[in-house]
Amino acid sequence: MRPTSETISRTIAANLLTNQLPAITDDHEKKQVALTALLLMLVAETFDGTAANLIEENQSLRRLFSSALPVIKDNHLKDRVKEAGRSTDENFRISALDKTNCDLLTLFVELHTYIETLEGPDARKIEEAIWLEIDNYKNHRKFMTSDIASSLMASGI
Amino acid sequence: MEILKKQFISYVSHQIPEAKEIDIKCIRQIFGGASRQTFSIEFSYTLNGKNLSQQVVLRREFKSGIIDTKTLTEWEAYRAFQNTDVPVPKLLWIEQDPKWLDTPFFVMEEITGCQALHYQFLNSPYKEVKEKAGEKFCKIMGNIHVKDPSIFKPGAGAEQTMPAPDECWKRELDYWEKDADKNALRPYPLFRSAIRWLRRNPPKPAQKVTIVHGDMRAGNFLFNEKGEIKALLDWEMAHYGDPLEDLAYSLNILWSWNDSDKIGLMIPRDQGIKIWEQTTGFKADPESLFWWEVFTSVKSTAIWISMNKTYATGENTDLIVCFGGIWARDLQRRILFDQMKEARS
């Protein structure tokens, strides 16, 4: 579709901030318009990259699962981690990728909890890999719009 | 708003039976909070031949509150601190019967000539008084913590018993983990790892079990252009606990994002901690304080998670609930990641 959803959202947000907002005097109305613009900016920011981020994240989690297999002594957990490590994304709709991401992350939390109970350098190595994954998770959900919002609040909106 | 006007006039008549010609001069909703509806109401009436008017704040619960708060707890906290060195609004009425305004509510006098938006400390004229306000804020916090806790009775439904000094941390952590479990829309690996770290590394026992405000931060007090703090607000999460919880909560960088070494954009954190120590006589043990700062990130995250759920399920579709939940989750996640990095080092 042209223009893209991203362009439409971003343009409407810019219009609200530069044209509508300065003309509004009522404090409540000002806040509502600013919030609307910020939410549209958020939609624009996440629209293009969401699918790629989810695919990358799912693949990275699977690689981590496969690398963790040698240190897992709990057979039930090991079987589930092994199966998850072999899985692939078949449906590339965002809703489907997101559901798979949630399933993988649920297992990831369980694996992390388990690894924390283990001694030894191999477990620590996996734990470092887990924290790298958490860092990526955080960065995928870091929005420029959040920082813009903080600046807007600082300017009194 | 017309329905609310009629309902409120009816209630005033109930509370002041001798009042005649009750009229609402002005009513407006005050936006910003996500757990209550708040209105500013100016009304007039005649009493014994005299024309009187009052400016009040009405706080009423949403039908679906975002956090598990109790109107009565907030009322009881305000009542406990009336006419003390912890400034709170003057209370008028509390009503549990939904027949008047559809949900429980209370009414207090409105404090005028002030504002709550702490981002104003970045701009004149408030920039010039931010130090004064910051010092006052930390002193007031200390004043809360030296009060006899028995002056405050949490509302029905809230935890009534006082925890032992070594139980304070667990009671709060259990509560907020359970709250997040109830509201989670997806897994939160960083959040869960922080909870496990908190459980494995409990803080020292509380030096004293005190009243804890529970939401002690910039944005929750009214201040004026002279830097005076006229009222501390939003007491719905007040409880008995470790006063370090409030101190740590006040240090949350989320509320000082544009100037992160300050408390709520006001004064440097070391200065604020010192004022609190001098006021209370307590020591802010660095390791325990760090624990409570990580806890602050966990508790705050649980609150943002509940906001996300409330919007996602359609219970509350206010824009502030949507954006606030997302914005705060993002920034708090960054803060918590850095805290866990420090914890692991």
Side-chain angles (χ1 to χ4, degrees), chain A residues 15-152:
Chain A
N15 189 41
L16 285 171
L17 287 175
T18 55
N19 294 331
Q20 316 297 330
L21 195 62
I24 298 170
T25 51
D26 179 74
D27 192 46
H28 171 59
E29 295 290 331
K30 224 177 173 90
K31 283 186 168 68
Q32 294 295 100
V33 168
L35 285 168
T36 303
L38 287 167
L39 283 164
L40 284 167
M41 285 166 67
L42 205 55
V43 167
E45 190 179 347
T46 56
F47 182 79
D48 195 41
T50 296
N53 283 344
L54 286 170
I55 291 169
E56 183 203 314
E57 210 165 272
N58 292 349
Q59 285 174 346
S60 187
L61 285 166
R62 290 177 183 120
R63 279 194 299 272
L64 186 141
F65 288 154
S66 298
S67 70
L69 289 173
V71 304
I72 302 174
K73 306 288 181 273
D74 178 325
N75 288 330
H76 177 54
L77 177 62
K78 193 166 189 166
D79 288 343
R80 286 183 291 124
V81 169
K82 192 175 187 179
E83 188 184 338
R86 286 179 180 165
S87 66
T88 56
D89 289 311
E90 304 290 330
N91 184 337
F92 296 103
R93 284 182 174 271
I94 288 173
S95 52
L97 290 169
D98 188 62
K99 170 146 189 339
T100 302
N101 184 255
C102 287
D103 291 342
L104 291 170
L105 283 171
T106 300
L107 187 57
F108 176 74
V109 170
E110 193 181 340
L111 176 64
H112 191 185
T113 307
Y114 174 75
I115 294 292
E116 282 172 350
T117 67
L118 300 181
E119 305 273 344
D122 292 339
R124 299 291 72 76
K125 206 168 152 194
I126 298 300
E127 198 169 359
E128 277 311 304
I130 285 172
W131 276 102
L132 273 173
E133 206 53 56
I134 291 176
D135 195 9
N136 286 339
Y137 175 92
K138 173 202 61 164
N139 290 334
H140 280 160
R141 289 155 185 82
K142 198 169 164 177
F143 306 121
M144 229 167 33
T145 306
S146 297
D147 297 290
I148 292 170
S150 298
S151 298
L152 276 177

Side-chain angles (χ1 to χ4, degrees), chain B residues 119-133:
Chain B
Y119 292 95
Q120 295 293 358
F121 286 127
L122 293 169
N123 310 305
S124 291
Y126 300 100
K127 189 167 67 173
E128 285 75 24
V129 297
K130 65 179 182 182
E131 280 235 4
K132 181 178 172 187

Side-chain angles (χ1 to χ4, degrees), chain B residues 81-301:
Chain B
F81 291 103
Q82 294 288 294
N83 305 310
T84 69
D85 53 8
V86 176
V88 292
K90 187 175 165 203
L91 296 176
L92 291 174
W93 308 305
I94 183 164
E95 186 57 63
Q96 294 271 52
D97 191 339
K99 78 178 185 189
W100 297 102
L101 262 64
D102 304 324
T103 66
F105 65 91
F106 66 79
V107 181
M108 54 192 182
E109 280 194 348
E110 183 169 355
I111 296 171
T112 55
C114 290
Q115 69 157 287
L117 187 64
H118 72 286
Y119 292 95
Q120 295 293 358
F121 286 127
L122 293 169
N123 310 305
S124 291
Y126 300 100
K127 189 167 67 173
E128 285 75 24
V129 297
K130 65 179 182 182
E131 280 235 4
K132 181 178 172 187
E135 287 165 4
K136 195 68 190 163
F137 172 72
C138 294
K139 180 129 179 62
I140 289 170
M141 181 170 30
N143 289 344
I144 295 171
H145 298 150
V146 299
K147 295 284 179 292
D148 175 2
S150 67
I151 66 173
F152 164 66
K153 306 266 180 284
E159 181 59 65
Q160 301 289 317
T161 61
M162 221 168 281
D166 62 350
E167 288 172 348
C168 294
W169 70 270
K170 191 171 184 307
R171 177 184 283 193
E172 293 307 305
L173 186 57
D174 285 350
Y175 180 91
W176 289 104
E177 183 178 19
K178 198 170 159 187
D179 193 77
D181 287 344
K182 187 178 69 178
N183 295 312
L185 294 174
R186 58 180 291 111
Y188 303 105
L190 174 60
F191 173 74
R192 298 295 176 186
S193 76
I195 289 176
R196 293 193 304 272
W197 181 86
L198 288 170
R199 288 199 187 283
R200 285 197 303 269
N201 301 280
K204 292 187 172 80
Q207 291 160 85
K208 186 176 177 235
V209 177
T210 69
I211 301 168
V212 172
H213 178 280
D215 201 2
M216 192 76 199
R217 61 170 180 87
N220 281 345
F221 59 83
L222 294 175
F223 60 95
N224 61 23
E225 291 181 12
K226 294 180 192 170
E228 296 167 332
I229 293 180
K230 291 299 193 181
L232 188 56
L233 306 173
D234 292 328
W235 289 79
E236 60 259 30
M237 292 195 281
H239 57 277
Y240 302 125
D242 189 329
L244 278 184
E245 179 185 340
D246 270 346
L247 179 61
Y249 201 91
S250 75
L251 302 174
N252 190 357
I253 299 168
L254 178 68
W255 306 112
S256 207
W257 197 254
N258 312 81
D259 197 358
S260 62
D261 70 341
K262 300 273 194 314
I263 300 174
L265 303 172
M266 296 180 288
I267 55 172
R269 58 177 272 152
D270 287 348
Q271 185 184 345
I273 291 169
K274 202 168 171 184
I275 292 170
W276 178 85
E277 286 181 325
Q278 285 167 348
T279 307
T280 60
F282 299 145
K283 186 85 184 78
D285 172 72
E287 281 185 14
S288 291
L289 184 61
F290 178 71
W291 190 97
W292 284 105
E293 287 191 82
V294 177
F295 169 79
T296 290
S297 288
V298 163
K299 173 178 172 175
S300 300
T301 299

Side-chain angles (χ1 to χ4, degrees), chain B residues 17-55:
Chain B
E18 308 83 12
K20 296 185 186 339
E21 295 165 26
I22 303 167
D23 186 36
I24 306 276
K25 286 182 169 178
C26 179
I27 181 168
R28 63 180 180 92
Q29 190 165 0
I30 300 170
F31 293 89
S35 61
R36 291 276 191 280
Q37 278 186 320
T38 307
F39 299 88
S40 164
I41 303 175
E42 189 184 351
F43 67 96
S44 62
Y45 57 98
T46 57
L47 185 66
N48 300 327
K50 282 191 190 152
N51 295 329
L52 300 169
S53 71
Q54 270 188 285
Q55 186 122 12

